[in-house]
Amino acid sequence: MVCLGNICRSPMAEAVASAMVEQAGLAGVVVESFGTAGYHAGERADPQADAALRRRGWPAGTHRARQIRPADLVALDLVLCADRANLAAVQRLAGTGAGRPTIELLRSYDPDVIPGDDEIPDPWGGTDADFDRALDLIEQACRGLVGQLASSPR
Ligand code: 4NP
Protein backbone atom coordinates (compact mmCIF):
# COMPACT_ATOMS: atom_id res chain seq x y z
CA MET A 1 0.00 0.00 0.00
CA VAL A 2 1.53 3.31 -1.07
CA CYS A 3 0.62 6.96 -0.47
CA LEU A 4 2.74 10.11 -0.21
CA GLY A 5 3.77 10.38 3.43
CA ASN A 6 3.01 6.84 4.74
CA ILE A 7 1.37 8.36 7.81
CA CYS A 8 -2.33 8.58 6.79
CA ARG A 9 -3.80 6.61 3.89
CA SER A 10 -1.37 3.72 3.34
CA PRO A 11 -0.99 2.87 7.06
CA MET A 12 -4.79 2.71 7.30
CA ALA A 13 -4.87 0.51 4.18
CA GLU A 14 -2.15 -1.74 5.63
CA ALA A 15 -4.06 -2.15 8.92
CA VAL A 16 -7.38 -2.90 7.20
CA ALA A 17 -6.00 -5.23 4.50
CA SER A 18 -3.83 -7.13 7.00
CA ALA A 19 -6.80 -7.75 9.28
CA MET A 20 -9.05 -8.79 6.38
CA VAL A 21 -6.36 -11.13 4.99
CA GLU A 22 -6.06 -12.74 8.42
CA GLN A 23 -9.85 -13.02 8.80
CA ALA A 24 -9.99 -14.67 5.35
CA GLY A 25 -7.33 -17.20 6.37
CA LEU A 26 -5.00 -16.17 3.54
CA ALA A 27 -1.80 -17.48 5.05
CA GLY A 28 1.24 -16.25 3.17
CA VAL A 29 -0.23 -12.90 2.09
CA VAL A 30 1.85 -10.16 3.71
CA VAL A 31 0.71 -6.53 3.58
CA GLU A 32 3.15 -3.63 4.04
CA SER A 33 2.96 0.10 3.39
CA PHE A 34 5.28 2.85 2.15
CA GLY A 35 5.33 6.51 1.17
CA THR A 36 6.79 7.82 -2.06
CA ALA A 37 8.20 10.74 -0.02
CA GLY A 38 10.51 10.50 2.97
CA TYR A 39 9.24 13.56 4.88
CA HIS A 40 7.90 11.46 7.73
CA ALA A 41 10.22 8.43 7.64
CA GLY A 42 10.52 6.86 11.07
CA GLU A 43 7.43 8.60 12.42
CA ARG A 44 4.29 6.99 13.75
CA ALA A 45 1.03 7.20 11.83
CA ASP A 46 -0.85 10.49 12.03
CA PRO A 47 -2.89 10.48 15.28
CA GLN A 48 -6.08 11.12 13.27
CA ALA A 49 -5.39 8.01 11.15
CA ASP A 50 -4.90 5.86 14.26
CA ALA A 51 -8.03 7.37 15.82
CA ALA A 52 -10.09 6.65 12.68
CA LEU A 53 -8.88 3.01 12.71
CA ARG A 54 -9.70 2.64 16.40
CA ARG A 55 -13.20 4.10 15.97
CA ARG A 56 -13.95 1.10 13.71
CA GLY A 57 -12.09 -1.51 15.73
CA TRP A 58 -9.09 -1.94 13.43
CA PRO A 59 -5.64 -2.37 15.00
CA ALA A 60 -3.55 0.81 15.27
CA GLY A 61 -0.51 2.22 17.00
CA THR A 62 2.48 0.17 15.82
CA HIS A 63 3.23 1.79 12.44
CA ARG A 64 6.51 3.48 11.50
CA ALA A 65 6.67 5.41 8.23
CA ARG A 66 9.00 4.25 5.43
CA GLN A 67 9.90 5.68 2.04
CA ILE A 68 9.73 3.17 -0.81
CA ARG A 69 13.01 2.41 -2.61
CA PRO A 70 13.72 0.47 -5.82
CA ALA A 71 15.01 -2.48 -3.75
CA ASP A 72 11.63 -2.74 -1.99
CA LEU A 73 9.87 -3.14 -5.34
CA VAL A 74 11.91 -6.26 -6.13
CA ALA A 75 10.34 -8.03 -3.15
CA LEU A 76 6.72 -6.94 -3.84
CA ASP A 77 4.14 -8.68 -6.04
CA LEU A 78 1.40 -6.04 -6.01
CA VAL A 79 1.72 -2.32 -5.29
CA LEU A 80 -1.57 -0.50 -4.64
CA CYS A 81 -1.48 3.28 -4.70
CA ALA A 82 -3.82 5.77 -3.06
CA ASP A 83 -3.84 8.21 -5.98
CA ARG A 84 -2.55 8.79 -9.50
CA ALA A 85 0.38 11.00 -8.48
CA ASN A 86 1.77 8.24 -6.28
CA LEU A 87 0.99 5.59 -8.93
CA ALA A 88 3.11 7.59 -11.39
CA ALA A 89 5.90 7.98 -8.81
CA VAL A 90 6.01 4.21 -8.17
CA GLN A 91 5.93 3.48 -11.91
CA ARG A 92 8.92 5.81 -12.42
CA LEU A 93 10.79 4.12 -9.56
CA ALA A 94 10.05 0.64 -10.93
CA GLY A 95 11.23 1.43 -14.45
CA THR A 96 10.52 -1.17 -17.10
CA GLY A 97 12.77 -4.02 -15.99
CA ALA A 98 11.85 -7.66 -15.49
CA GLY A 99 10.57 -8.51 -12.04
CA ARG A 100 8.57 -5.30 -11.87
CA PRO A 101 5.53 -5.79 -9.60
CA THR A 102 1.98 -5.09 -10.71
CA ILE A 103 1.29 -1.43 -9.90
CA GLU A 104 -2.35 -0.31 -9.65
CA LEU A 105 -4.68 2.09 -7.88
CA LEU A 106 -6.07 0.61 -4.65
CA ARG A 107 -9.53 1.73 -5.72
CA SER A 108 -9.34 -0.43 -8.84
CA TYR A 109 -10.56 -3.15 -6.41
CA ASP A 110 -13.55 -1.04 -5.28
CA PRO A 111 -16.66 -2.49 -7.01
CA ASP A 112 -18.35 0.94 -6.85
CA VAL A 113 -15.47 2.90 -8.39
CA ILE A 114 -16.49 5.48 -11.00
CA PRO A 115 -14.16 6.45 -13.87
CA GLY A 116 -12.55 9.78 -13.02
CA ASP A 117 -13.23 9.30 -9.30
CA ASP A 118 -10.79 6.54 -8.48
CA GLU A 119 -8.44 8.07 -5.90
CA ILE A 120 -8.37 8.15 -2.11
CA PRO A 121 -8.25 11.88 -1.32
CA ASP A 122 -5.46 12.92 1.03
CA PRO A 123 -6.96 13.57 4.50
CA TRP A 124 -3.69 14.95 5.96
CA GLY A 125 -4.38 18.19 7.85
CA GLY A 126 -8.13 17.67 7.40
CA THR A 127 -11.01 16.88 9.76
CA ASP A 128 -11.84 13.58 11.43
CA ALA A 129 -14.64 13.28 8.85
CA ASP A 130 -12.02 13.44 6.08
CA PHE A 131 -10.17 10.54 7.71
CA ASP A 132 -13.44 8.59 8.08
CA ARG A 133 -14.20 9.17 4.39
CA ALA A 134 -10.73 7.97 3.37
CA LEU A 135 -11.22 4.92 5.59
CA ASP A 136 -14.63 4.20 3.97
CA LEU A 137 -12.94 4.09 0.55
CA ILE A 138 -10.03 2.01 1.88
CA GLU A 139 -12.38 -0.55 3.50
CA GLN A 140 -14.47 -0.86 0.35
CA ALA A 141 -11.39 -1.40 -1.86
CA CYS A 142 -9.76 -3.82 0.59
CA ARG A 143 -12.95 -5.91 0.73
CA GLY A 144 -12.78 -6.19 -3.07
CA LEU A 145 -9.08 -6.96 -3.00
CA VAL A 146 -9.30 -9.68 -0.35
CA GLY A 147 -12.36 -11.19 -2.02
CA GLN A 148 -10.38 -11.46 -5.23
CA LEU A 149 -7.30 -12.91 -3.49
CA ALA A 150 -9.50 -15.45 -1.68
CA SER A 151 -11.06 -16.65 -4.92
CA SER A 152 -7.90 -16.77 -7.04
CA PRO A 153 -5.91 -20.00 -7.38
CA ARG A 154 -2.90 -20.30 -5.09
P1 4NP B 1 -0.54 10.43 3.33
O1 4NP B 1 -0.81 11.94 3.76
O2 4NP B 1 0.13 10.50 1.97
O3 4NP B 1 -1.92 9.82 3.24
O4 4NP B 1 0.33 9.82 4.40
C1 4NP B 1 0.19 12.93 3.75
C2 4NP B 1 1.06 13.02 4.80
C3 4NP B 1 2.04 14.01 4.80
C4 4NP B 1 2.16 14.88 3.73
C5 4NP B 1 1.28 14.77 2.66
C6 4NP B 1 0.30 13.79 2.67
N1 4NP B 1 3.16 15.88 3.73
O5 4NP B 1 3.21 16.68 2.77
O6 4NP B 1 3.98 15.94 4.66
Side-chain angles (χ1 to χ4, degrees), residues 14-113:
E14 178 184 345
V16 168
S18 296
M20 287 183 179
V21 156
E22 198 183 323
Q23 283 160 14
L26 292 172
V29 177
V30 177
V31 186
E32 298 177 76
S33 70
F34 303 86
T36 56
Y39 317 133
H40 297 278
E43 294 178 16
R44 295 198 179 278
D46 186 287
Q48 285 178 284
D50 276 346
L53 288 168
R54 289 198 176 102
R55 279 196 288 281
R56 306 224 182 143
W58 300 111
T62 60
H63 178 72
R64 291 285 180 179
R66 292 191 287 173
Q67 182 177 20
I68 196 162
R69 299 159 304 151
D72 296 312
L73 290 167
V74 175
L76 299 170
D77 299 306
L78 179 61
V79 181
L80 298 175
C81 303
D83 58 36
R84 290 182 173 275
N86 286 298
L87 179 85
V90 174
Q91 283 170 334
R92 269 196 305 277
L93 206 60
T96 53
R100 187 181 195 270
T102 302
I103 304 166
E104 299 174 313
L105 287 173
L106 174 56
R107 289 197 67 209
S108 65
Y109 290 88
D110 180 342
D112 293 339
V113 75

Side-chain angles (χ1 to χ4, degrees), residues 2-12 34-37 39-40 46 82-83 86 120-125 131:
V2 175
C3 63
L4 180 62
N6 192 218
I7 56 170
C8 300
R9 292 165 292 177
S10 62
M12 291 198 288
F34 303 86
T36 56
Y39 317 133
H40 297 278
D46 186 287
D83 58 36
N86 286 298
I120 298 167
D122 187 357
W124 186 61
F131 278 81

